[in-house]
Amino acid sequence: MNDDQIWSAIHTQRAAVTDLLETLSDDEWRQPSLCEGWTVRDVAAHLTMQQLGFRDALGVMRHWRGNMDRATQHAARARAATLGTGGIVAELRRTNGNRRHNIGVTQLEALIDILVHSQDIAVPLGRPFDLAPDAAAVATTRVLSMRWPPPLPSARKLAGFRLVATDVTWSAGTGPEIQAPIGALLLLACGRLTALPRVSGDGAADLTARLTG
């Protein structure tokens, strides 16, 4: 995918998750997401923060002494409290179509973010929607090849397996074979174990033991 195609996929997924958010009940906004310790509202608020400037990003990190995970979660909760659910939806609609992304990352990280976080919201609510296979393939390749930002611990756990997508021509790695739709492989690479039931292949049992042990 070229840059225009990547941004088109980002904008399409942002619009889809915004449409979903607009239909949620108050109780659904409060439900746990696939991100441990994050509610659906927290994740949705985080999605409004994908265009931070240097000053905003520095302010968050200074306040939380360089702990990225804690800083991100705190900032999302503060954003959610400020905007409210209606404001979150409105902000996502307002900024969709904009090609800005946070400092220190590229459009590939923006693609990963929206694809994975859309599932973080939709799956636990029982409202999953499919990821575009080509976009998910690009995102998965990026997650597995990251050197900066540092690779995810969950992605490192997939080393030693041959990953094969069942819905798009894509594979990576060597070793016992793991077969799954590319969206499931992306979620596993990002630590979402809810995708494990979608895995098959001669390496499936070993991968499940590694990820859940």
Side-chain angles (χ1 to χ4, degrees), residues 1-203:
M1 297 177 72
N2 60 35
D3 285 354
D4 287 341
Q5 292 169 323
I6 289 171
W7 279 112
S8 178
I10 291 170
H11 299 154
T12 296
Q13 195 73 7
R14 281 179 180 166
V17 75
T18 304
D19 288 344
L20 172 62
L21 291 171
E22 201 163 38
T23 71
L24 299 188
S25 67
D26 290 343
D27 182 62
E28 286 175 312
W29 281 97
R30 292 190 292 267
Q31 291 301 307
S33 73
L34 294 185
C35 293
E36 185 175 357
W38 291 57
T39 65
V40 166
R41 190 179 78 152
D42 294 337
V43 176
H46 171 70
L47 291 176
T48 72
M49 302 177 65
Q50 302 310 296
Q51 301 175 15
L52 293 180
F54 178 77
R55 183 177 298 176
D56 292 333
L58 184 62
V60 170
M61 295 310 299
R62 183 186 297 119
H63 182 70
W64 285 90
R65 300 182 181 179
N67 186 309
M68 180 64 75
D69 291 338
R70 187 170 58 187
T72 302
Q73 186 177 38
H74 172 77
R77 288 177 175 171
R79 181 80 161 175
T82 299
L83 291 177
T85 57
I88 290 170
V89 171
E91 183 66 8
L92 287 173
R93 290 216 184 279
R94 184 185 70 81
T95 57
N96 197 21
N98 191 316
R99 290 193 175 194
R100 287 182 58 196
H101 52 72
N102 286 343
I103 188 169
V105 300
T106 71
Q107 69 272 19
L108 292 175
E109 284 70 50
L111 178 66
I112 295 165
D113 213 56
I114 189 59
L115 293 182
V116 174
H117 287 320
S118 67
Q119 301 303 294
D120 289 336
I121 291 168
V123 171
L125 295 180
R127 300 201 195 186
F129 48 88
D130 293 334
L131 302 178
D134 288 347
V138 170
T140 308
T141 297
R142 174 57 178 159
V143 171
L144 295 176
S145 63
M146 277 183 177
R147 295 298 176 267
W148 183 261
L152 299 174
S154 51
R156 291 198 295 267
K157 289 183 178 181
L158 298 182
F161 295 95
R162 176 169 172 77
L163 310 177
V164 179
T166 58
D167 54 347
V168 68
T169 302
W170 182 93
S171 62
T174 58
E177 189 163 288
I178 302 296
Q179 300 173 3
I182 190 63
L185 295 176
L186 174 60
L187 290 179
L188 289 176
C190 293
R192 276 55 170 185
L193 301 188
T194 186
L196 272 175
R198 304 178 71 186
V199 163
S200 62
D202 57 11

